[in-house]
Amino acid sequence: MRRLLLLSFTALSLPALAQGVNPGTPPVTEPSAAIAETVVTATRVPTPIERVPGAVTVIDRQTIEERGYQTLAEALVTVPGFALIQSGGLGQPASAFIRGTASRHALVLLDGVPINDASEPNGAFNFGNDLLGMDVERIEVLRGPASSLYGSGAIGGVVNIVTRRAPRDRAIAPFGEVAGGSNRTLRANGGITGTVGEFDYLLSLRSLSTRGTDATPSRFTSDTGERDGFRSAGATVRLGWTPSARFRLEGLANWRENHGGLDNVPNDDPNYSFEDRRYTGQIRAEGKPFEAWTTGFRIAQTVDRRKYRNLADGFDPSTTDDLYRGERTVFDWGNQIRLPDAGFLDQSQVSFGVTHEREDVRQASGSTFFRTTTDADASSTAGHMGYQVRLFRRLDLSAGIRNDAAEDYGTHTSWRLGALLAVPEISARIRTAYGTAFKAPSLYQRYGRITGFFEGNPNLRPEISEGWEAGIEFDLPLGAQRDFATLGATYFDNRIRDLINYDAFFTSLENIDRARIKGAEFTATLRPARWLTASLAYTITDARDARTDERLARRPEQQLALNASFRPVENVTIAPELIVFGRSREGAFASYRNDGSAYTVARDNKAGTIFNLTATWQVTEPVAVFVEGRNLTDSDFEPANGFVIPGRTVLVGTRFRF
C-alpha cells in the first residue's frame, strides 16, 4: 500500500517540475484561468479557492444539472476522498466515510448551520434523504479536520449546502423543472425569486415520487422483488432586507418531508416503512460598523422527527414502532476584520466569534420487550478565532483555534494551521495543513438506556483526531492555452483515538478504540477543446483499526470517478460519468450468503462499476430538455453487503429559467 501511494504521488508530481520556468506565466496576483471559485466553508471568510490551504471541492448548479444529479448522495459520490455507501435506491439510508473516517465524523451544514440529526444514535448524517432542487445553488466540500471552524463532528470534513440567491437586477425570476421516467418516477421543482427595491425573496417547492426498486439482491433465495417506494416534498423560503450597503437582515426557512419503504437483511419486508421530517430556520443580521469590520448575529433551529414502523407479518413476527425527535438551537456571533496591508503582508484578516448550541433528544425504538429510550438535553458554548495573511503575494498562511465548553463532557480545544505557496514559474500551488478535530459523544451514547440491559455512559470523552495533509496542484499549458490541463495530488494522514464502542459485555459504551488512516487523492481536469472537458478523481484509502490492524468496514480501498462534458453541436451537452468502487471490508455477521445466512468472520465486498449518462439540449436561452440515465449497464453492485443499487433507469424532462 505504501509503495502504491508513493509511486502514484511521484508520477503525478513530476510534470510540474519538468515545466521549468515559463516566461509567459502571469504574475501571481492573477488567478489561474482554471480556478475562479470563491468559497466560505473552508475559512468562514470568503476566500478564492486557489488561496485555501486545504482540499476543497465545489459542485455548482451547472454541474448538478449537466450531470443529472437529483440527490445529495449522487453528487457527493464523485468527490475525491468521499466514499458514500447507500443501502438501496432513492430515499434509502446513505453513509459518508470522508477520508476513511466514520460516518458520524462528517458534519453537514445548510447555509452554514449544522443540520446533523441530534436524535441519530451516533450523530451521523443520512445523505440519502435530500433532493437537489433548483433552490440549491452549490455544494462546498471541505476535507480534513475542521473542528477549529465548526466544532464537534468535523473530523473527516464538512459539507455545506448553499441555497440560491436572488438576482439583484430582476424583480421576478421564475424557474422550474419537471421530469419523469423509470419506476413511475415523477420529479418536479420550481419557484420564483427576485429583488424589489431594498427587499429580495426566494420561494421554492420540490417533490419526487417513485415506486422505487428492490434493495434486496436477486442472489438471495429469499428475494421476493418487493419494491421500496419513496415520496419526498420540500420547500425553501428566504426573505432579505438590505436598506444600505452596511446592513442586511434575512430569514431562511426550509422544510423537507419523506415517506418510503425499507428492507431488512436478508429478507424483503413489505411492512417496514419510514417518515422523516426536517424543519430548519434561521434569522441572520449582518452589519459593517466600519469599512474594515463586518459583524453578524444568527439564531437558527433545526427540528428532526423520524418514525420507523414494522408490523408483524410472515417475515417477522415482532412489531417495531420507532420514534426519534431531535432539536438543535444555535446562537452564533461572528466577526471579520480586514487589517491594512503592510509591506510584504497583504490580504490580512482576523475572524472571531462565539457560538452557543443546545441539543434536545426524545427517542424510543425497538420492540416492546427490548425498548431503547433517550430523554436528554445538553448545551455547549464555544469561542473561536482565525487569522489568514498573504506574504510576498504568493504565500498564504492561516491559523485557527476553537475552545468548546460543554456542560456534560468538559472542554475541548481544537486548532489548525495551513500554508499555500503559489509558484507561478511552474504554474503550481503547493499546500499543507495540520490540525486536530473532535466528535462529542451523542446524547444517546451518554444517556440512552434499555431497561435491565444497557445504560449509556455519561462519562464518555470526545473522540479526538490529529491529522495532516500535503498536496500540489498545477496547470499544464499547451500552445496559447494556459490551462490545457490541471493536475493535483494530495497525501493525507489521520490518527483518531478515544473512539466510542461497546464494552466487553455490551451493557454500556467506552472510549476504547483507535484508528489510523492514510491515503492519497489524485485529480485531473483536461480541456483539449472548447467543446470538451474531462475530469478524473482517484482516491486510495488505507483505514485500519490501530489495535488489531484490521481494515475498517465499508471504506473502499480505491475509488475512481470519471466525468466529461462533451458538446458535439451548439446547445447540446452530453455528460458521461463512470464510478468505480474498489473492494471494501464488511464486518462479521454483516456479510450474507445467497441463502441469507451470515458469515461469522469479516469478509470483503466485491468491487463495482456504475455508468451514468446525461444529455441536455438548450432549446432556447431559458428552456432546456434533458435525458438522465443511471446505471445504464444494469450493474448489480452491492455497496453494502445485502443491499443492491437500483437497476437501469431513465428520466426525461425539461427545465426553464427566466
Side-chain angles (χ1 to χ4, degrees), residues 102-409:
S103 58
R104 61 184 179 272
H105 296 156
L107 182 64
V108 180
L109 315 174
L110 179 64
D111 284 334
V113 174
I115 56 173
N116 289 51
D117 185 355
S119 68
E120 207 283 331
N122 294 313
F125 185 83
N126 180 3
F127 287 86
N129 262 329
D130 287 88
L131 302 179
L132 296 180
M134 296 183 73
D135 58 325
V136 175
E137 185 63 30
R138 56 198 272 133
I139 305 166
E140 297 181 359
V141 183
L142 170 64
R143 303 185 295 284
S147 289
S148 62
L149 294 169
Y150 298 104
S152 173
I155 288 180
V158 177
V159 177
N160 189 15
I161 304 168
V162 182
T163 56
R164 189 186 192 108
R165 294 288 167 175
R168 297 181 179 179
D169 59 346
R170 301 279 301 280
I172 301 177
F175 56 89
E177 176 187 84
V178 61
S182 301
N183 304 320
R184 299 177 187 170
T185 301
L186 179 62
R187 184 178 85 221
N189 64 84
I192 189 169
T193 183
T195 301
V196 180
E198 299 175 353
F199 299 91
D200 58 85
Y201 65 94
L202 166 70
L203 171 62
S204 177
L205 303 174
R206 59 192 179 276
S207 68
L208 184 146
S209 65
T210 179
R211 67 172 180 167
T213 59
D214 181 16
T216 303
S218 59
R219 65 182 178 88
F220 284 179
T221 56
S222 58
D223 179 36
T224 65
E226 183 261 335
R227 294 173 177 264
D228 303 311
F230 176 65
R231 292 178 290 114
S232 178
T236 300
V237 178
R238 174 189 279 112
L239 299 175
W241 177 44
T242 311
S244 72
R246 290 183 177 272
F247 181 77
R248 175 170 173 81
L249 176 67
E250 72 172 29
L252 174 72
N254 182 277
W255 159 74
R256 187 261 292 141
E257 180 170 335
N258 294 341
H259 299 259
L262 296 170
D263 271 340
N264 277 326
V265 180
N267 297 312
D268 285 332
D269 200 331
N271 293 329
Y272 196 3
S273 62
F274 73 92
E275 299 177 9
D276 191 317
R277 299 183 179 96
R278 184 180 69 216
Y279 307 88
T280 302
Q282 59 172 291
I283 298 175
R284 184 172 185 269
E286 182 177 285
K288 298 186 71 172
F290 306 102
E291 186 62 33
W293 176 24
T294 301
T295 185
F297 182 76
R298 170 161 41 199
I299 303 174
Q301 185 174 56
T302 299
V303 179
D304 288 278
R305 291 186 176 92
R306 293 182 289 129
K307 296 182 180 180
Y308 300 89
R309 197 173 187 192
N310 192 3
L311 301 177
D313 55 27
F315 299 99
D316 189 345
S318 62
T319 296
T320 299
D321 190 5
D322 299 346
L323 306 173
Y324 296 84
R325 186 181 186 277
E327 290 187 9
R328 174 181 282 106
T329 304
V330 178
F331 299 88
D332 183 65
W333 175 54
N335 299 268
Q336 303 168 19
I337 298 179
R338 171 72 184 273
L339 303 179
D341 297 342
F344 60 86
L345 302 177
D346 70 318
Q347 303 293 320
S348 299
Q349 293 192 76
V350 174
S351 60
F352 61 93
V354 177
T355 302
H356 179 78
E357 186 172 312
R358 182 173 184 82
E359 292 184 347
D360 189 299
V361 172
R362 303 291 181 267
Q363 172 264 330
S365 61
S367 63
T368 304
F369 303 102
F370 200 75
R371 196 87 171 145
T372 303
T373 60
T374 308
D375 187 348
D377 54 69
S379 298
S380 64
T381 302
H384 57 84
M385 177 175 288
Y387 176 67
Q388 60 187 68
V389 63
R390 186 170 62 172
L391 281 64
F392 304 105
R393 304 185 114 181
R394 67 166 66 207
L395 176 61
D396 283 279
L397 302 177
S398 65
I401 188 169
R402 173 173 171 138
N403 180 265
D404 287 77
E407 64 181 11
D408 52 353
Y409 64 83

Side-chain angles (χ1 to χ4, degrees), residues 540-561:
I540 303 171
T541 305
D542 184 14
R544 296 182 179 270
D545 185 317
R547 297 186 305 163
T548 65
D549 202 40
E550 291 291 328
R551 287 156 43 214
L552 298 179
R554 298 191 177 181
R555 280 79 160 177
E557 290 184 315
Q558 301 179 61
Q559 189 167 327
L560 172 68

